[in-house]
Amino acid sequence: MRILLTGSNGFIGRRVTLDALARGWEVVGLGRQDAPTAPVTRYVRHDLGEPLDLDEAVDAVVHAAGLASPWASPSAYQRGNVRATATVLAWAREHGRPPVHYVSSSSVFYRDADQTALSERSPIPTDAEQINTYSRTKLAGERLTRAYPGEWAVLRPRAVIGVGDTVLLPRVLEAARKGVLPRFTRADGRRVWADLTPVATVSHYLLESVAQRFTGELNLSNGETVELDPFVDDVLARLGLDPRRPRVPVAVAMAMAGAAERYSARFGGWAEPPITRYGVSMFAHSKTFDATRVQAVLGPPPVSVGQAVDELVAAGG
């Protein structure tokens, strides 16, 4: 098996590269850096915001490249998530129409509310109702993928954790290491639950999707639910961190985040603010997924959330 892997230098891409090579596959890695950050069969430096001129025969495409930051300019998301996907699909159409496996995001389902047992059949909010620009552009990428004339799969990882993560837990740990990590409190007093997905599980499912020539849509989750605040407290304690955790009402946090975002957009060059409305929402509302379908189609997850956390702690976070 020979695959074209976009975003091969990213958090998910690096793990996919290593796991694909371990299967005996060949990986043509594509990224924006001068050199690959993980061993690949062949590396191509390219910004997918521009047309791709690559003479390469592959059995499948795994499109994992994208802008996953919780805050950036709308134009940056458009370039990184929509134009890049269009570039990959145009290349695939012109090079034998290999199966394309698009790495989307579970955030396309999100609302600013509790959502539990989300499945592939759950309604996806309209563009106007999407929780942020990131999710809106990932949904646009899904639409482009579904229009591809060859075989396609849309795969939506949920809250990916693991060594090498640059998006999820690192932001929590950075705040904790600065000494203060707010604990958002809801007016109704309800606890917040979430499911997390080890990067090893995401990589395994992506490669199984390729190997089994899966077509359609799948949400990628371990299906393991944790109570969010106690989970964070436990990870911090295991890492030797004991930040102050002042209680901040969700409404107050949302107002602060909105002000920070407006300042960044108008005066800060879209630099990521210390708090975003998306970040507050993720800690203020339960989000859990039903993993029945992915496990029925692609098998059980290869590792547990507990094992992934043990690896993170051993690596120092």
Side-chain angles (χ1 to χ4, degrees):
M1 179 74 70
R2 184 178 180 86
I3 64 171
L4 173 65
L5 172 64
T6 71
S8 63
N9 293 327
F11 172 42
I12 292 175
R14 286 195 301 272
R15 183 58 187 251
V16 170
T17 295
L18 296 173
D19 290 348
L21 293 175
R23 289 177 178 234
W25 295 10
E26 296 182 352
V27 178
V28 179
L30 193 152
R32 289 180 297 175
Q33 289 91 332
D34 289 335
T37 57
V40 291
T41 307
R42 180 187 175 193
Y43 180 71
V44 179
R45 180 178 180 273
H46 185 75
D47 182 345
L48 287 171
E50 303 297 331
L52 177 59
D53 182 14
L54 175 64
D55 185 16
E56 193 76 42
V58 297
D59 300 303
V61 176
V62 177
H63 177 36
L67 178 57
S69 170
W71 181 255
S73 70
S75 61
Y77 283 122
Q78 184 72 21
R79 180 183 179 89
N81 295 336
V82 183
R83 191 187 305 177
T85 301
T87 295
V88 171
L89 294 169
W91 180 88
R93 281 195 299 270
E94 297 166 2
H95 291 80
R97 297 184 180 180
V100 173
H101 301 256
Y102 170 59
V103 183
S104 184
S105 168
S106 62
S107 65
V108 300
F109 289 103
Y110 296 172
R111 297 181 183 275
D112 197 25
D114 290 334
Q115 294 172 283
T116 57
L118 288 163
S119 74
E120 289 78 6
R121 295 183 178 181
S122 296
I124 292 179
T126 65
D127 280 3
E129 297 172 314
Q130 283 291 309
I131 197 164
N132 63 3
T133 309
Y134 167 69
S135 67
R136 189 175 301 115
T137 54
K138 294 303 285 187
L139 181 58
E142 290 192 9
R143 292 195 190 102
L144 291 173
T145 302
R146 285 193 288 268
Y148 176 61
E151 296 178 16
W152 58 266
V154 169
L155 306 157
R156 306 183 185 106
R158 159 64 183 156
V160 187
I161 62 170
V163 177
D165 174 19
T166 60
V167 175
L168 191 58
L169 284 180
R171 284 169 167 77
V172 174
L173 297 180
E174 180 182 5
R177 287 179 174 127
K178 290 179 179 178
V180 179
L181 180 65
R183 194 185 303 275
F184 304 127
T185 58
R186 293 170 44 146
D188 61 11
R190 289 185 179 178
R191 298 174 178 179
V192 175
W193 299 83
D195 57 329
L196 306 171
T197 314
V199 68
T201 294
V202 173
S203 174
H204 173 75
Y205 282 152
L206 290 176
L207 295 177
E208 279 300 295
S209 174
V210 173
Q212 298 184 30
R213 299 195 70 159
F214 170 77
T215 60
E217 303 173 20
L218 278 179
N219 301 329
L220 309 186
S221 170
N222 262 48
E224 295 181 60
T225 302
V226 300
E227 188 179 349
L228 201 50
D229 259 331
F231 172 82
V232 170
D233 288 340
D234 177 65
V235 172
L236 295 180
R238 293 175 63 183
L239 289 169
L241 299 172
D242 186 24
R244 288 193 302 112
R245 300 213 61 192
R247 295 182 178 275
V248 178
V250 170
V252 173
M254 278 293 192
M256 293 170 58
E261 290 178 355
R262 289 190 293 274
Y263 180 88
S264 171
R266 186 169 182 181
F267 304 110
W270 294 95
E272 186 178 331
I275 185 172
T276 64
R277 287 175 293 176
Y278 177 81
V280 174
S281 183
M282 291 306 99
F283 276 86
H285 297 105
S286 294
K287 293 282 185 289
T288 66
F289 280 72
D290 181 348
T292 300
R293 185 159 187 253
V294 68
Q295 293 190 21
V297 174
L298 301 180
V303 300
S304 68
V305 170
Q307 288 172 309
V309 172
D310 288 344
E311 288 185 9
L312 272 171
V313 171

